[in-house]
Amino acid sequence: MKMLQFENPSIQGEIKVPGDKSISHRSIMFGAISEGVTKVTGFLKGDDCLSTIDCFRKMGVTITEKDDEILIEGRGFKGLKEPREILDTGNSGTTTRLLLGVLAGQPFHSVITGDESIAKRPMNRVTVPLKEMGATIDGRDDGNLTPLSVRGGKLKSFHYTLPVASAQLKSALILAGLQSEEETVIVEPEKTRDHTEKMIRHFGGEIVREGTSIKVRGNQPFKAKDVRVPGDISSAAFFLTAAAITSNSSLILKDVGLNETRTGIIDVLREMDADFSVTLTNDDEEPQGDILVKSSSLKNCEVGGELIPRLIDEIPIIALLATQASGKTVIRDAEELKVKETNRIDAVVEELQKLGADITATGDGMVINGPVRLKGGYADSRGDHRIGMMLAVAALVSEGPVHIENADCISVSYPTFFEDLSLVAK
Ligand code: SPQ
């Protein structure tokens, strides 16, 4: 149990949040399927990304750590080996789903499993289309739940409209499509994070986007190329909120990733009248910049539609932000929250209610009335890193202490979160 108590705190100074989780996973995967050695800087050494490293090592890829760099000795898609052991994806949905796409095209047998939370997350969104492409996949609940066994094979040409806006599903199908003899066409209902597409181009491959449809050819050679991972905007979101909701705060977040498919939180901060500014420091394929954020007088907003995929992981912290804003904030079109590490609609609403927030669940989101001075109390991360960090930030605006059950899970995406919080909370 972690106890946090602050007396009129302000958030001051400068921090650099750890590397982007989505890009870190993909840097290992693309490094592994390329020819040559890829050097990754800024890699997130959180449990989730370490699970990805572990799985690729089990398929014969040499991955080493040198100072702050990760070196991947790529083997190409054709050089991956049948793993002797079970591939353990831990708590990581990204590892599980993207790996299924890789394994679908591999002419060997493998078994994937993860932790208790992964065992509840739906995999049929990925396994059903991968089976249609030609892979043999089985598991609990007719191939929906882990452990899953995969025998990959020759994959055929495929045209698929995604039933949900999911970057993991899109990426799994792209990774399978890259191993097919023919072309794969994927249509997204809404644009989701495009790190996989950017990685393909970065490693010398081709992928074409026309409106909502994405076309990719199989059998493309990839050449190793160093990757710089920017700071994770999903991690930065906790500190952006911390500074905006406390008095006398002024915080600089350095080198935060600003890929436009991920910056929905910036749009929400603007909509809520937050006092912040962004300075672009690197304008390459994965742009990054510094964000200065100050204490803010916040107003309510509406979050829904196409914005949802651009901030899906930030909704727990946006809910907290809304408790400190004047008026009624409505979050809608976010049913996907129900199949994350926890049911994040229930978890956010029930845990924030315990601390004294005026928040109600709806079928596809939540409604929050503010501003409310939180009381503090006992709450539970439920094993979900983003709920754990949201509760820790809630302690900054609570009268009494906040006790967080299961705070250890934060290490999946932000191992140094509490150190960084104590560094800037004055
Ligand atoms: O990897 P995991 O556990 O699914 O992580 C989460 C998170 O909060 O860190 C979701 F629970 O992020 C997903 C995100 O929600 C990471 C991701 C990606 O890297 O492709 C895409 C999103 O998931 P989805 O299901 O919308 O594709």
Side-chain angles (χ1 to χ4, degrees):
M1 175 89 72
K2 181 98 185 164
M3 197 274 277
L4 291 168
Q5 183 164 27
F6 300 94
E7 226 171 278
N8 295 324
S10 61
I11 300 292
Q12 284 168 15
E14 187 177 295
I15 51 169
K16 192 170 154 68
V17 295
D20 186 278
K21 179 158 79 66
S22 296
I23 300 176
S24 294
H25 284 302
R26 287 157 173 85
S27 70
I28 298 298
M29 298 184 181
F30 278 88
I33 59 167
S34 298
E35 301 289 346
V37 178
T38 291
K39 182 172 82 187
V40 184
T41 48
F43 184 82
L44 167 65
K45 291 185 193 163
D47 299 342
D48 270 13
C49 301
L50 297 178
S51 294
T52 295
I53 290 188
D54 182 56
C55 291
F56 277 86
R57 281 184 177 147
K58 285 180 176 152
M59 290 191 286
V61 183
T62 302
I63 303 171
T64 44
E65 275 182 51
K66 197 175 143 251
D67 305 321
D68 268 349
E69 293 167 0
I70 305 285
L71 296 176
I72 309 149
E73 296 179 30
R75 300 178 65 94
F77 268 123
K78 296 208 162 75
L80 299 179
K81 286 195 191 143
E82 182 169 70
R84 292 168 57 155
E85 291 164 79
I86 289 172
L87 301 173
D88 185 353
T89 59
N91 188 247
S92 175
T94 309
T95 312
T96 313
R97 297 203 176 107
L98 271 60
L99 200 53
L100 283 166
V102 172
L103 295 171
Q106 293 295 314
F108 55 64
H109 176 255
S110 52
V111 177
I112 293 195
T113 200
D115 69 5
E116 273 174 44
S117 150
I118 284 293
K120 291 186 205 138
R121 294 178 71 179
M123 294 299 150
N124 53 2
R125 56 180 58 193
V126 178
T127 56
V128 167
L130 290 177
K131 285 195 265 189
E132 277 178 46
M133 286 178 90
T136 305
I137 305 176
D138 209 348
R140 289 186 304 127
D141 190 28
D142 204 16
N144 181 30
L145 301 172
T146 58
L148 292 165
S149 94
V150 187
R151 185 167 288 282
K154 205 165 172 322
L155 304 176
K156 57 180 190 229
S157 164
F158 194 56
H159 191 305
Y160 193 66
T161 300
L162 307 187
V164 280
S166 160
Q168 292 177 356
L169 168 55
K170 170 180 68 175
S171 302
L173 299 184
I174 290 174
L175 285 161
L178 288 172
Q179 300 171 80
S180 146
E181 296 291 316
E182 295 156 271
E183 191 175 70
T184 302
V185 181
I186 299 159
V187 181
E188 288 194 283
E190 262 141 24
K191 192 169 182 190
T192 61
R193 65 190 70 187
D194 61 358
H195 306 299
T196 302
E197 295 92 308
K198 290 194 164 174
M199 278 284 166
I200 288 179
R201 295 188 196 107
H202 183 81
F203 282 86
E206 216 180 75
I207 184 159
V208 181
R209 180 171 196 112
E210 277 161 17
T212 54
S213 110
I214 296 160
K215 266 189 217 152
V216 69
R217 231 176 349 96
N219 274 328
Q220 300 188 44
F222 291 112
K223 269 189 71 183
K225 190 170 174 191
D226 294 349
V227 176
R228 170 196 54 80
V229 183
D232 198 326
I233 191 163
S234 297
S235 299
F238 296 99
F239 287 97
L240 290 170
T241 300
I245 62 179
T246 48
S247 321
N248 303 315
S249 293
S250 177
L251 178 73
I252 297 173
L253 289 152
K254 300 289 289 179
D255 301 334
V256 180
L258 296 171
N259 178 317
E260 56 96 20
T261 62
R262 297 283 302 282
T263 48
I265 178 74
I266 303 266
D267 296 13
V268 165
L269 287 168
R270 192 168 293 124
E271 193 67 25
M272 292 178 104
D273 280 350
D275 184 355
F276 74 101
S277 60
V278 181
T279 312
L280 200 63
T281 54
N282 193 325
D283 195 15
D284 67 13
E285 63 224 312
E286 289 289 358
Q288 69 182 36
D290 298 343
I291 307 178
L292 166 66
V293 56
K294 296 185 178 173
S295 310
S296 305
S297 177
L298 300 165
K299 69 169 171 67
N300 64 319
C301 72
E302 299 253 327
V303 182
E306 286 176 3
L307 189 55
I308 294 294
R310 296 181 55 235
L311 49 63
I312 187 74
D313 297 337
E314 287 63 80
I315 291 177
I317 196 66
I318 289 171
L320 175 68
L321 196 61
T323 68
Q324 304 307 302
S326 65
K328 175 165 128 184
T329 293
V330 181
I331 300 175
R332 58 168 67 92
D333 306 321
E335 297 94 333
E336 272 295 295
L337 289 177
K338 295 179 183 172
V339 291
K340 299 295 179 186
E341 282 82 331
T342 49
N343 175 333
R344 284 185 179 159
I345 295 183
D346 289 352
V348 166
V349 169
E350 290 164 17
E351 297 307 321
L352 276 175
Q353 278 173 349
K354 288 181 192 168
L355 303 185
D358 179 350
I359 180 167
T360 325
T362 61
D364 64 350
M366 53 198 88
V367 176
I368 307 116
N369 288 300
V372 166
R373 174 94 167 117
L374 301 179
K375 299 189 306 283
Y378 287 79
D380 190 346
S381 77
R382 306 182 182 198
D384 184 330
H385 53 132
R386 305 218 183 270
I387 305 296
M389 288 185 273
M390 179 274 283
L391 292 170
V393 178
L396 294 165
V397 286
S398 293
E399 264 162 41
V402 173
H403 303 264
I404 309 168
E405 193 79 66
N406 296 310
D408 292 353
C409 63
I410 289 173
S411 63
V412 311
S413 67
Y414 202 154
T416 54
F417 174 77
F418 287 112
E419 282 98 308
D420 284 355
L421 182 60
S422 55
L423 204 69
V424 295
K426 313 279 178 199

